[in-house]
Amino acid sequence: LLYKPVDRVTRSTLVLHDLLKHTPVSHPDHPLLQDALRISQNFLSSINEEITPRRQSMTVKKGEVCLLPSL
């Protein structure tokens, strides 16, 4: 369930990218589409930057034992 909102943003980013490819530069919506695409790409990259260190710290190498803290 936690991935659904991010998945939606990812799909919207792809749609914006396709729309921008097919929108002439002279069209009044072109700069707005560029801004929306830039904002969504920045959002996704910030999420990836936050998740990557957590994944690396949670990864257990083969042969290592992972001891989880008791709750």
Side-chain angles (χ1 to χ4, degrees), residues 28 46 51 66:
S46 70
I51 290 175
C66 178

Side-chain angles (χ1 to χ4, degrees), residues 6-60:
V6 176
D7 187 47
R8 259 188 227 123
V9 174
T10 303
R11 280 186 277 145
S12 298
T13 303
L14 293 172
V15 169
L16 284 168
H17 189 268
D18 288 343
L19 271 172
L20 198 54
K21 276 196 301 189
H22 299 288
T23 303
V25 178
S26 60
H27 195 279
D29 289 341
H30 193 271
L32 297 172
L33 290 170
Q34 283 181 319
D35 287 343
L37 180 61
R38 182 185 45 79
I39 289 168
S40 63
Q41 286 174 333
N42 287 343
F43 174 76
L44 290 173
S45 67
S46 70
I47 288 176
N48 285 336
E49 288 172 2
E50 289 178 17
I51 290 175
T52 301
R54 289 183 191 161
R55 280 189 183 161
Q56 289 173 347
S57 67
M58 293 176 65
T59 303
V60 178

